[in-house]
Amino acid sequence: GGWRSGGPWHMAPIGKALAKAGFLAFATAYRLSPDHQHPAQEADVREALRWLAAQEDVDSDRLALWGYSAGAQLALKTAFTTHSPELRAVVAGGTPGDFTLFDSQSPILRQFLGASRDEAPERWADASPLNFVRADAAPTFLYHGAEDRLVVPRHAERVHEALQAAGAESQLRTVPGGHMGVFILNRDIEREAIAFLQQQVRP
C-alpha cells in the first residue's frame, strides 16, 4: 500500500500458507502516511516484533520477518538494524531497497518521508535498507517481478549484491510478472520462500 494504505489482511494468503506449513504467523499493522511519516512505520514493526518475542507460546529464538513492497522495505530495514530479538531469517518481495532509484519528487515517497530527496537526502538514505546491510544480517530471501515497473528489479539486485559482498547469506529469485501480479498470483515463489524459512527457522 505504499506506506499509505492497506492492512494486515493483505498478508492473509501468505499467513495461511505459513500456518499450513507449521509456522505460527502474525501480521502486523503500522501507522500510515501522510499522517505518520518515517520512521513511525519502522518503530511499529519493531514494537510488534518485541511484543511477539514476549509471548509465552512463541519461540523467541526462531523468529523471521516477511514483507512485500512497502512491507518488504520495513522487514528488511528492521532485520538489518535489529539485534534483539534476533531474527533467523527475512523474506522480502518487491523490495524498495535503494531509494536513490526512485524519482526524487515521487509523491508517494514525499508523503512517506515528508520531503523530496533534494530537501531531505539523509531521510531518504535512512529509509533505504541497502544502507544498513551488515555481515551478520539474518539470511535473506529476496524475490522480485522481472516486469516490475513500480519498484524496478534493480532494487533487489543491489541489496542482494551488497549482502553477498558483506559475506551475509542471500538468495534472489527473479520471477515473471509485475509488482502486484507477483504478489497476487505467484504462489510458487511463496512456496519456495517457505521452504527457505523451514531451512532457516526450524531446528
Side-chain angles (χ1 to χ4, degrees):
W3 303 278
R4 62 184 180 178
S5 66
W9 59 88
H10 281 146
M11 295 297 284
I14 292 175
K16 290 177 181 178
L18 285 165
K20 187 176 180 179
F23 291 91
L24 184 62
F26 289 79
T28 183
Y30 53 83
R31 286 169 288 176
L32 300 174
S33 68
D35 292 338
H36 303 279
Q37 296 169 347
H38 171 80
Q41 295 80 5
E42 185 181 326
D44 291 345
V45 174
R46 290 184 191 280
E47 184 59 30
L49 192 58
R50 285 192 290 266
W51 176 87
L52 188 61
Q55 301 310 300
E56 290 185 1
D57 295 335
V58 172
D59 186 345
S60 61
D61 292 327
R62 294 192 288 152
L63 298 175
L65 285 174
W66 187 329
Y68 193 89
S69 193
Q73 179 267 335
L74 293 171
L76 278 186
K77 176 69 188 298
T78 302
F80 292 166
T81 57
T82 295
H83 293 275
S84 180
E86 187 174 348
L87 295 168
R88 287 283 190 93
V90 59
V91 174
T95 308
D98 179 3
F99 279 42
T100 66
L101 295 171
F102 287 122
D103 183 342
S104 65
Q105 300 297 322
S106 165
I108 292 176
L109 294 180
R110 285 176 65 96
Q111 287 185 343
F112 173 47
L113 299 170
S116 69
R117 187 167 63 236
D118 294 336
E119 293 167 334
E122 71 291 340
R123 204 174 308 162
W124 283 56
D126 185 68
S128 296
L130 178 67
N131 296 329
F132 298 89
V133 165
R134 64 181 204 256
D136 62 343
T140 301
F141 185 94
L142 303 160
Y143 64 99
H144 215 100
E147 291 78 48
D148 194 332
R149 298 293 176 263
L150 185 63
V151 182
V152 297
R154 190 63 184 137
H155 282 270
E157 292 167 359
R158 286 189 176 178
V159 172
H160 175 62
E161 291 163 1
L163 284 165
Q164 288 195 316
E169 181 177 347
S170 176
Q171 297 183 32
L172 171 61
R173 299 289 183 269
T174 303
V175 298
H179 191 71
M180 291 310 299
V182 170
F183 179 65
I184 295 171
L185 301 174
N186 199 318
R187 304 282 82 92
D188 288 342
I189 192 61
E190 290 171 6
R191 284 189 284 270
E192 189 173 346
I194 289 172
F196 168 82
L197 290 178
Q198 288 173 324
Q199 291 177 343
Q200 301 296 336
V201 175
R202 289 186 170 175

